[in-house]
């Protein structure tokens, strides 16, 4: 009979219409902004700079202004100026820090390459997307004060990845401390042959490829 | 519709080259289905010369989305070009990434671990599912079924996009493949979610086909419209479902056997008539075959790393040489041609865009049909302007 | 499938005296190509398409490449010692040879009938300025139609025998060819200032003198 295809289609539409009143699989709209969908942990949108402590964000930035992220950024939206002097970082070591660190979020495409290439785990991906502003140039150009967020925030948004990063940094710190201790012991010992270092020193993430954390 | 015999290619059928007539007849109307049009799949313009409602000449005009992707590729390092490949065919970022990663791996002789190959196949087949679902939805939307099939398609597509988001961090611009594997590993929870999606997709396709395949209006609008002869399709370099709907058995997953595709048993659906309805049906059948590949790959994915531990990501340099490598993307053969002079950037970076080359036959298909059919024919060719214009 | 050398030998057997050469491709890809001269290119292409052993009926990709003039410095010859015993004169200036640049069109051919490939063809122009014509292969493979138009548009290679050679991606009145290596973009087009925007100072030269207040609102200077 002509029209059976149409009737079958109408049956499908009716099933969806009626189902949308009681079946959550049929009615999938989230009434944003009153309801919000829970974002997956791996979701990324715009980077931020990691500070070790929340009380002194500028003084404990992990970033040492090596400018690798600036070079690798595909749309060239990062702008860094190195500082002239050195300042003690979170571990007490004297380090150069970024005097200027700007990210133009109107250009950034959230590709995550800056995060992948950073040897110091200083820049990570944030999850903010409600960034509407009325000024197109200053409002979307984030400087280091707007970008710096504490490590506790990082744990809040990406717990698995933050735990992996902390583990890696702690292991690197421990290895370099042991290496320093072994070198000091070797220098203090009277024997001409130096003592073998206790643990094989691991490079602090500079050359080794970063093992990526699994997504949930 | 069942899987048909392969139509034999006639060696004597040469290409037809349309000659351009520049005179404008007094009674012909030139209509510009201009770049701003809801049914042209992007900023795409068709200048149609009409005799009443019949198309006598049709010139596609594009370049409105030209973003000098290839010149950017020459000035950007190999790694930093990866996010730009997401934005070529912006619906299918995972397959674009894979095509580019494969080209660079062939240029440098980089090996890929087995788990990464399986993961790439899983993501490529998920991309094929979401692209063909999108296409069916948009074809119906452009034909006038205003919204319903499109929204059903998008409801299903959201599930795949959620999978991509939980794996790579982004729904569409995934930037996921690297030279030597994938960026992150998939957890068992993710693989389980993908498996349940693959198992449920068949039911969705049954409902979708119940809505569309037997629909008399769709059949009247698409059967017999825009017939593409096989010889013309081969000569015009048409690839993908459009080619297979004309009866030519050429699927790169079978012909080239890249990745681990030779391990999976799947069929290649072929069409018999080469019209719009066949192109739609070939895509629906391809979706069913993709589900089979997905289920097999998810069952068989081995353990191990997803990234070659010796692969260098940053500061990657290829030795001098050139390579052209291609994969079967959802729209057709997407290929990358790279010339390296040994530096950090490629000397020449070229994308072979399936959508652009499939448009070669647009005029041939539309001649003699009405202006309303041009929308349906364009929808069945499946173009994305990000790829046409780059 | 035959290697590039075997195909060249068969082509030379069928078209004796035709300009065909093999261009080796270093690297693991090993896709060696055949360099064809303009005189016989269309006939050779038709032979490749129709030959029962090759049946290359699918032209997959047409690419344009711009090779600039290259300076090849050669080592200077040492000066001959003076028989009278005077100190040896310094060697003459290094002879620098300029290898002239050209535009190249690369075709990748596959066979849908026999499922093999690729066979790579190359056509080169005489130079980059006035001898930029090569024969079009669109009468042989229809898929070259849009791609050769793109090479014409972006590189400036004219294809003799193309049915509809006009710009495809740029607009019709556009001058110059953007994908050439020596293309310099105009300095006054609309551009969004970014922290790295060198274009903004270039563009400012074309604007009327801006008041000081506007300049202060522009954000940090690069």
């Amino acid at each position: 009979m002509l029209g059976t295809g149409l009737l079958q289609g109408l049956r499908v539409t009716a099933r969806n219409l009626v189902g949308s009143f009681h079946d959550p699989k049929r009615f999938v709209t989230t009434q944003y902004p009153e309801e919000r969908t829970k974002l997956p942990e791996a979701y990324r949108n715009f980077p931020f700079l990691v500070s070790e402590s929340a009380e002194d964000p500028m003084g404990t930035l992990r970033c040492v202004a090596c400018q690798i992220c600036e070079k690798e950024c595909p749309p060239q939206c990062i702008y860094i100026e190195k500082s002239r002097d050195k300042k003690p970082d979170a571990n007490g070591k004297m380090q150069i820090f970024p005097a200027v660190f700007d990210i133009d979020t109107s250009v950034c495409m959230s590709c995550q390459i800056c995060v992948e290439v950073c040897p110091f785990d200083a820049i990570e991906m944030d999850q903010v997307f409600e960034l509407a502003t009325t000024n197109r140039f200053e409002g979307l150009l984030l400087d280091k004060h707007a970008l710096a967020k504490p490590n506790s925030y990082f744990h809040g948004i990406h717990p698995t990845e933050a735990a992996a990063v902390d583990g890696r940094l702690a292991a690197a710190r421990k290895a370099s401390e042991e290496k320093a201790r072994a070198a000091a012991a070797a220098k203090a010992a009277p024997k001409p042959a130096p003592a073998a270092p206790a643990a094989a020193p691991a490079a602090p993430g500079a050359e080794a490829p970063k093992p990526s954390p699994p997504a949930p | 519709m069942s899987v048909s015999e392969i139509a034999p290619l006639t060696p004597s059928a040469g290409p037809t080259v349309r000659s351009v007539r520049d005179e404008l007849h007094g009674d012909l109307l030139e209509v510009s289905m201009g770049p701003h049009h809801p049914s042209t799949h992007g900023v795409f313009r068709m200048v149609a010369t009409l005799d009443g409602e019949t198309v006598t000449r049709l010139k596609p005009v594009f370049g409105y989305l030209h973003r000098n992707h290839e010149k950017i590729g020459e000035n950007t390092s190999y790694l930093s070009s990866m996010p730009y490949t997401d934005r070529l065919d912006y619906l299918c970022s995972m397959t674009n990434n894979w095509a580019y990663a494969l080209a660079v791996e062939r240029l440098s002789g980089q090996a890929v671990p087995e788990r990464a190959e399986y993961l790439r196949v899983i993501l490529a087949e998920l991309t094929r599912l979401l692209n063909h679902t999108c296409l069916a939805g948009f074809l119906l939307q452009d034909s006038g079924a205003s919204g319903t099939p499109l929204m059903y398609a998008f409801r299903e597509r959201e599930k795949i996009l959620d999978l991509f988001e939980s794996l790579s961090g982004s729904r569409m611009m995934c930037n996921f493949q690297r030279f030597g594997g994938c960026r992150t590993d998939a957890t068992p929870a993710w693989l389980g979610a993908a498996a349940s999606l693959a198992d449920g997709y068949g039911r969705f396709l049954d409902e979708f086909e119940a809505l569309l395949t037997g629909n008399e209006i769709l059949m009247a609008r698409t059967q017999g419209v825009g017939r593409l002869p096989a010889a013309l399709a081969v000569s015009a370099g048409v690839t993908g479902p459009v080619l297979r709907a004309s009866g030519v058995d050429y699927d790169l997953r079978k012909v080239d056997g890249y990745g681990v595709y030779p391990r999976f048993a799947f069929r290649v659906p072929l069409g018999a008539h080469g019209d719009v309805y066949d192109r739609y049906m070939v895509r629906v059948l391809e979706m069913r075959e993709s589900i089979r590949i997905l289920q097999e790959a998810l069952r068989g994915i081995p353990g191990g790393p997803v990234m070659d531990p010796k692969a260098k990501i940053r500061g990657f340099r290829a030795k001098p040489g050139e390579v052209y490598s291609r994969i079967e993307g959802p729209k057709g053969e997407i290929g990358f041609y790279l010339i390296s002079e040994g530096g950090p950037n490629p000397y020449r970076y070229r994308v072979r865009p399936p959508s652009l080359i499939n448009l070669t036959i647009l005029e041939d298909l539309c001649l003699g049909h009405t202006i309303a059919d041009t929308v349906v024919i364009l929808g069945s060719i499946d173009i994305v302007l990000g790829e046409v214009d780059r | 499938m035959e290697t590039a050398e075997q195909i060249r030998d068969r082509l030379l057997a069928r078209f004796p005296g035709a300009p065909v050469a093999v261009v080796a491709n270093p690297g693991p890809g090993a896709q060696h190509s055949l360099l064809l001269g303009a005189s016989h290119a269309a006939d050779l292409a038709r032979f490749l398409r129709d030959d029962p052993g090759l049946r290359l009926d699918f032209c997959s990709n047409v690419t344009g490449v711009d090779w600039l003039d290259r300076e090849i410095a050669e080592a200077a010859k040492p000066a001959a010692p003076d028989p009278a015993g005077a100190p040896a004169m310094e060697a003459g200036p290094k002879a620098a040879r300029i290898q002239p640049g050209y535009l190249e069109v690369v075709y990748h051919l596959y066979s849908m009938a026999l499922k093999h490939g690729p066979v790579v063809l190359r056509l080169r122009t005489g130079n980059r300025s006035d001898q930029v014509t090569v024969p079009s292969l669109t009468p042989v493979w229809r898929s070259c139609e849009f791609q050769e138009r793109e090479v014409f548009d972006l590189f400036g290679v004219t294809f003799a025998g193309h049915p509809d050679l006009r710009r495809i991606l740029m607009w019709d009145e556009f001058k110059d060819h953007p994908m050439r290596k020596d293309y310099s973009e105009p300095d006054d087009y609309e551009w969004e200032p970014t922290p790295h925007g060198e274009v903004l100072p270039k563009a400012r030269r074309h604007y009327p003198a801006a008041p000081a207040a506007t300049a202060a609102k522009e954000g940090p200077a690069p």
Side-chain angles (χ1 to χ4, degrees):
Chain A
M1 185 186 90
L2 184 71
T4 40
L6 279 165
L7 286 175
Q8 211 181 1
L10 284 173
R11 226 191 336 256
V12 170
T13 333
R15 204 181 316 139
N16 272 286
L17 176 64
V18 170
S20 69
F21 285 101
H22 63 86
D23 186 359
K25 283 205 287 287
R26 299 272 184 214
F27 184 69
V28 294
T29 313
T30 310
Q31 307 291 334
Y32 182 85
E34 288 85 16
E35 292 172 22
R36 281 155 204 267
T37 31
K38 185 166 179 323
L39 294 168
E41 186 195 323
Y43 172 69
R44 59 171 202 258
N45 201 40
F46 297 144
F48 71 97
L49 290 170
V50 184
S51 309
E52 294 291 354
S53 86
E55 287 80 31
D56 182 17
M58 289 299 113
T60 55
L61 281 177
R62 284 187 198 157
C63 175
V64 299
C66 66
Q67 296 181 302
I68 291 180
C69 60
E70 188 181 22
K71 278 197 278 284
E72 296 290 327
C73 174
Q76 304 260 290
C77 70
I78 302 183
Y79 179 69
I80 298 177
E81 264 179 31
K82 286 180 172 350
S83 64
R84 301 286 161 91
D85 55 335
K86 292 196 181 180
K87 220 172 54 175
D89 66 358
N91 297 332
K93 188 165 161 224
M94 296 299 278
Q95 282 280 16
I96 304 181
F97 59 95
V100 175
F101 194 113
D102 290 341
I103 293 186
D104 190 345
T105 53
S106 68
V107 174
C108 172
M109 53 177 173
S110 306
C111 64
Q112 206 187 30
I113 285 187
C114 54
V115 172
E116 275 179 61
V117 298
C118 177
F120 302 96
D121 296 301
I123 187 166
E124 300 287 348
M125 287 315 276
D126 205 348
Q127 291 188 339
V128 290
F129 55 91
E130 289 151 328
L131 287 173
T133 165
T134 47
N135 185 322
R136 201 159 135 218
F137 295 112
E138 281 104 41
L140 293 176
L141 181 71
L142 302 182
D143 62 359
K144 65 174 182 176
H145 299 276
L147 286 171
K149 297 195 176 159
N151 197 19
S152 47
Y153 175 78
F154 186 32
H155 275 272
I157 53 172
H158 294 293
T160 328
E161 204 181 327
V165 166
D166 279 356
R168 205 168 45 236
L169 288 176
R173 209 173 311 133
K174 188 155 138 324
S176 63
E177 277 169 13
E178 288 204 15
K179 181 174 158 205
R181 216 178 309 126
K187 225 186 341 203
K191 290 196 273 287
E207 286 94 18
K210 285 163 68 136
S212 310
Chain B
M1 198 196 91
S2 60
V3 175
S4 320
E5 298 289 297
I6 303 170
L9 292 175
T10 43
S12 58
T16 50
V17 177
R18 301 231 34 105
S19 59
V20 173
R21 293 179 311 150
D22 277 319
E23 331 91 42
L24 193 64
H25 288 246
D27 52 348
L28 295 178
L29 177 69
E30 191 173 281
V31 164
S32 173
M33 282 185 71
H36 300 279
H37 193 287
S39 299
T40 53
H41 291 253
V43 275
F44 180 68
R45 182 168 166 226
M46 292 189 278
V47 183
T49 310
L50 303 177
D51 177 14
E53 272 214 28
T54 316
V55 174
T56 56
R57 196 174 129 184
L58 187 120
K59 289 286 155 209
V61 180
F62 37 85
Y64 296 95
L65 195 51
H66 181 60
R67 298 161 291 179
N68 61 298
H69 173 87
E70 296 182 355
K71 191 119 186 146
I72 291 177
E74 287 176 13
N75 297 331
T76 318
S77 64
Y78 287 93
L79 172 66
S80 300
S81 281
M82 187 60 91
Y84 289 113
T85 60
D86 286 337
R87 287 146 171 92
L88 281 171
D89 173 3
Y90 35 78
L91 300 176
C92 310
S93 71
M94 290 286 190
T95 42
N96 296 346
N97 285 353
W98 187 4
Y100 178 56
L102 191 65
V104 176
E105 283 157 10
R106 288 209 180 138
L107 186 62
S108 59
Q110 170 75 45
V112 179
E114 205 184 340
R115 186 177 168 91
E117 294 279 17
Y118 270 81
L119 192 55
R120 282 177 172 182
V121 166
I122 292 169
L123 294 169
E125 294 309 313
L126 282 172
T127 309
R128 202 176 312 273
L129 280 178
L130 73 80
N131 175 270
H132 290 341
T133 311
C134 237
L135 174 101
F138 277 118
L139 179 67
L140 268 296
Q141 163 84 359
D142 295 340
S143 316
S146 52
T148 306
L150 180 65
M151 287 300 125
Y152 294 168
F154 266 59
R155 190 176 55 193
E156 220 48 42
R157 183 174 171 247
E158 286 295 310
K159 300 184 186 153
I160 304 182
L161 292 178
D162 286 342
L163 276 180
F164 284 172
E165 195 181 17
S166 55
L167 179 63
S168 77
S170 172
R171 284 152 53 95
M172 276 165 68
M173 307 293 134
C174 300
N175 185 23
F176 192 65
Q177 315 292 352
R178 295 283 178 267
F179 318 130
C182 304
R183 182 162 54 81
T184 54
D185 201 349
T187 56
W190 189 89
L191 293 170
S196 58
L197 174 107
D199 294 334
Y201 218 84
R203 261 193 320 262
F204 157 71
L205 278 180
D206 291 336
E207 190 184 81
F208 206 52
E209 281 207 83
L211 179 64
L212 297 178
T213 304
N215 190 302
E216 282 84 357
I217 302 176
L218 178 67
M219 290 200 288
R221 278 206 73 172
T222 57
Q223 281 178 345
V225 170
R227 263 179 214 272
L228 179 60
L232 177 60
V234 171
S235 170
V238 172
T239 50
V242 184
L243 176 71
R244 293 193 280 281
S246 295
V248 180
D249 183 10
Y250 197 72
D251 184 328
L252 295 182
R253 296 174 290 172
K254 294 276 193 198
V255 167
D256 281 355
Y258 56 93
V260 289
Y261 273 112
R263 298 191 198 179
F264 303 113
F266 61 99
R267 298 173 297 176
V268 175
L270 297 173
H273 308 284
D275 55 11
V276 172
Y277 191 72
D278 269 7
R279 285 178 224 133
Y280 158 76
M281 277 311 299
V282 159
R283 292 189 168 100
V284 170
L285 292 173
E286 268 190 16
M287 279 201 270
R288 294 203 190 267
E289 296 300 318
S290 283
I291 295 174
R292 286 177 51 182
I293 302 177
L294 257 181
Q295 288 169 328
E296 249 187 270
L298 285 163
R299 269 198 303 270
I301 182 170
V306 280
M307 189 72 196
D308 185 11
K310 292 193 295 291
K312 196 172 177 199
I313 306 180
R314 204 191 126 240
F316 174 89
R317 268 163 207 259
K319 289 187 276 291
E322 65 175 49
V323 73
Y324 174 70
S325 108
R326 56 190 197 156
I327 68 164
E328 179 77 20
K331 298 198 159 61
E333 170 189 322
I334 176 158
F336 279 80
Y337 175 59
L338 294 170
I339 300 183
S340 157
E341 299 258 289
N345 304 345
Y347 184 81
R348 176 75 170 103
Y349 169 102
R350 151 89 180 166
V351 181
R352 187 254 185 215
S355 302
L356 173 67
I357 297 169
N358 288 358
L359 279 178
T360 313
I361 38 95
L362 179 66
E363 188 179 7
D364 300 73
L365 297 186
C366 289
L367 290 178
H369 291 298
T370 62
I371 187 79
D373 294 328
T374 55
V375 168
V376 171
I377 292 171
L378 181 66
S380 73
I381 296 181
D382 194 8
I383 62 167
V384 164
L385 266 300
E387 196 171 59
V388 170
D389 294 341
R390 282 151 290 134
Chain C
M1 204 192 73
E2 306 168 14
T3 64
E5 283 83 9
Q6 289 168 320
I7 299 177
R8 175 201 58 194
D9 295 335
R10 284 224 284 137
L11 284 172
L12 285 172
R14 172 74 179 79
F15 299 93
V20 182
V22 172
V23 177
N25 177 12
Q31 289 172 345
H32 306 294
S33 38
L34 290 168
L35 174 62
L36 303 183
S39 51
H40 289 74
D43 296 323
L44 292 169
R46 212 164 271 122
F47 174 77
L48 290 171
R49 183 192 71 191
D50 297 330
D51 173 60
L54 287 172
R55 292 286 298 279
L56 296 166
D57 47 10
F58 172 40
C59 176
S60 168
N61 180 33
V62 178
T63 312
V65 193
D66 184 16
W67 298 101
L68 291 171
D69 300 339
R70 259 176 227 244
E71 213 179 79
I72 304 181
E74 282 164 10
K77 295 202 237 320
D82 191 334
M89 286 204 309
E90 283 185 348
K94 280 196 171 65
R97 191 165 60 87
I98 306 271
Q99 188 184 22
Y102 48 85
L103 299 164
E104 194 173 42
V105 188
V106 185
Y107 293 81
H108 285 85
L109 307 171
Y110 287 83
S111 172
M112 285 198 186
L114 301 178
K115 315 247 187 305
H116 62 213
V119 168
V120 189
L121 299 181
R122 301 185 106 91
L123 294 175
R124 289 186 183 162
T125 64
N127 56 28
R128 294 173 76 246
S129 45
D130 53 342
Q131 298 167 23
V132 288
T133 308
V134 294
S136 164
L137 298 186
T138 304
V140 185
W141 295 287
R142 179 85 185 277
S143 67
C144 304
E145 184 181 340
F146 281 8
Q147 301 187 76
E148 283 180 352
R149 269 177 68 184
E150 185 184 329
V151 176
F152 164 68
D153 184 6
L154 300 181
F155 286 91
V157 177
T158 310
F159 289 91
H162 192 281
D164 183 16
L165 193 65
R166 55 196 168 94
R167 287 190 181 265
I168 190 171
L169 291 176
M170 307 307 289
W171 58 97
D172 290 328
E173 296 84 19
F174 189 80
K175 303 276 175 279
D176 210 346
H177 301 284
M179 275 298 283
R180 291 205 179 181
K181 293 282 183 182
D182 55 358
Y183 173 72
S184 63
E185 56 220 14
D187 50 347
D188 62 345
Y189 62 85
E190 201 180 303
W191 183 261
E192 292 283 323
T194 73
H196 283 279
E198 322 136 337
V199 185
L200 189 56
K202 271 201 281 187
R204 278 214 183 98
R205 286 202 294 269
H206 295 261
Y207 299 160
T214 329
K217 271 205 288 193
E218 294 285 8

